[in-house]
Amino acid sequence: MKKITLTLITSLLFSGCATTKITPEARNQLNQTQIAIKSQPIAVLVNPCLLSNELGKDRILNQASQLSSEKFIQTLTQELNQNGVKISEVSSPFICGSMPEEQLKKYDYQVDQNTKRTTVSEYPFLNNKNVVMNSEQQKAILDFYQYTAKTSEISLNNALNKKKQLAFPILDEKTKNTLKDWSKSNYIFVVSINGLNASVGSKFTSGALGLGVTLATMGAGAGLVSVYMPKEGQSYDVGVYDLDKKEFVWNKSSPLKGNIFSVKNHSLEATNILDPLFESQKE
């Protein structure tokens, strides 16, 4: 199986799991982020990337990725509305948008169940059901995905190699301004839907940035945390990106439930996506 890199390493700002107690200081920071994103409409950007490995034959599940993106957007939109957050724009322009071009073009895909498999020949891989932006905006979002992927890679390197710290990339002003024009906001909810459906007998290795393991860097100087996903490797990452600060002000990673790899019997379940940014209402 080809080497697969995660689309986004999540920066868990306050806790790595729902059971971790949040300090008053951390709660105060979360509340400040709440105020900021409720003060203006925010944009939602979703990057689905569902893959299958069938005895060495790697495939992008573009239809399942599209369905998962649509259903996650519905669920997230509902939660945002319930918490008083208004939405300016919603888009999911690419499938596997964070994957490097040379890697993406090694995968097969099917337009639908009635067509033959073919190798990906164009980059980026457009989500034809959700491309509602011009070419300049598409390029800015693609550059943003590459920027966040590189930032995550360097975060991992710096956490593992204290003696050789690498400089972080800087989001260029043109990309930032184009994203601001598109989003009509200073804030973007950035979502990554990740999944690998490995068939019986298929082998893959879980390592740094490998499928099956999410390596998350924690904020405020905390150490590296490994979050082991289910065998099928289905999860989501969600974060709030501040375009003025050029950084994520809140991030979270969680398992994703449901039959997300299926087209005929597709289902997706994600609850309390915004917890602990917005505390879930418990009975």
Side-chain angles (χ1 to χ4, degrees):
M1 181 180 177
K2 304 177 185 72
K3 178 183 178 182
I4 302 175
T5 57
L6 289 178
T7 55
L8 178 64
I9 304 175
T10 306
S11 299
L12 297 175
L13 189 55
F14 299 110
S15 66
C17 63
T19 57
T20 302
K21 184 178 180 180
I22 297 177
T23 65
E25 293 80 7
R27 183 69 259 167
N28 181 62
Q29 290 185 50
L30 289 171
N31 291 342
Q32 293 302 312
T33 302
Q34 279 189 32
I35 294 171
I37 65 175
K38 292 172 74 173
S39 68
Q40 60 182 286
I42 57 95
V44 175
L45 190 59
V46 181
N47 180 39
C49 190
L50 302 185
L51 312 170
S52 73
N53 177 252
E54 303 161 353
L55 297 176
K57 298 179 180 180
D58 298 304
R59 181 161 57 105
I60 292 175
L61 303 175
N62 54 299
Q63 287 183 288
S65 294
Q66 290 169 345
L67 290 171
S68 296
S69 177
E70 292 169 2
K71 292 187 178 180
F72 195 94
I73 287 171
Q74 292 173 4
T75 303
L76 177 59
T77 298
Q78 183 177 11
E79 282 199 28
L80 288 170
N81 289 337
Q82 289 173 346
N83 285 284
V85 180
K86 296 180 180 180
I87 300 172
S88 58
E89 294 287 342
V90 178
S91 188
S92 180
F94 309 122
I95 293 174
C96 300
S98 295
M99 190 180 289
E101 181 176 1
E102 62 273 16
Q103 181 185 351
L104 183 74
K105 289 185 176 180
K106 294 178 181 178
Y107 284 85
D108 290 343
Y109 79 101
Q110 286 177 278
V111 174
D112 55 47
Q113 299 296 313
N114 300 316
T115 60
K116 292 183 179 180
R117 290 172 56 156
T118 183
T119 302
V120 175
S121 59
E122 296 184 359
Y123 180 83
F125 194 125
L126 295 179
N127 179 357
N128 291 323
K129 285 190 173 183
N130 208 304
V131 180
V132 289
M133 52 181 59
N134 61 42
S135 58
E136 184 180 8
Q137 292 169 338
Q138 289 181 34
K139 183 181 183 304
I141 289 176
L142 189 63
D143 289 345
F144 175 71
Y145 282 150
Q146 299 303 315
Y147 153 80
T148 55
K150 186 64 176 178
T151 299
S152 298
E153 179 185 341
I154 291 175
S155 295
L156 177 62
N157 174 84
N158 291 350
L160 295 175
N161 191 348
K162 298 297 184 182
K163 293 183 179 180
K164 189 177 181 180
Q165 298 288 290
L166 302 178
F168 285 99
I170 299 175
L171 186 68
D172 66 272
E173 286 297 306
K174 182 178 179 180
T175 298
K176 185 194 83 170
N177 291 333
T178 302
L179 290 174
K180 273 197 168 188
D181 290 342
W182 165 74
S183 64
K184 304 177 184 67
S185 176
N186 291 330
Y187 300 97
I188 301 178
F189 261 91
V190 183
V191 178
S192 177
I193 300 172
N194 317 302
L196 169 68
N197 187 19
S199 63
V200 176
S202 174
K203 303 290 185 181
F204 65 93
T205 302
S206 297
L209 297 181
L211 248 295
V213 180
T214 298
L215 294 175
T217 58
M218 297 185 69
L224 196 70
V225 174
S226 296
V227 181
Y228 289 84
M229 298 190 298
K231 181 179 180 181
E232 291 77 18
Q234 55 191 67
S235 70
Y236 71 87
D237 304 314
V238 60
V240 179
Y241 191 83
D242 186 324
L243 287 167
D244 285 333
K245 294 181 179 179
K246 296 186 179 181
E247 65 181 18
F248 280 97
V249 293
W250 177 72
N251 268 38
K252 155 182 180 175
S253 179
S254 291
L256 191 59
K257 298 179 181 179
N259 193 17
I260 66 173
F261 299 105
S262 172
V263 174
K264 184 177 181 180
N265 300 305
H266 187 277
S267 64
L268 180 148
E269 181 182 348
T271 57
N272 299 326
I273 298 171
L274 301 178
D275 186 31
L277 176 58
F278 292 90
E279 294 178 285
S280 59
Q281 299 297 318
K282 296 180 175 58
E283 298 291 335

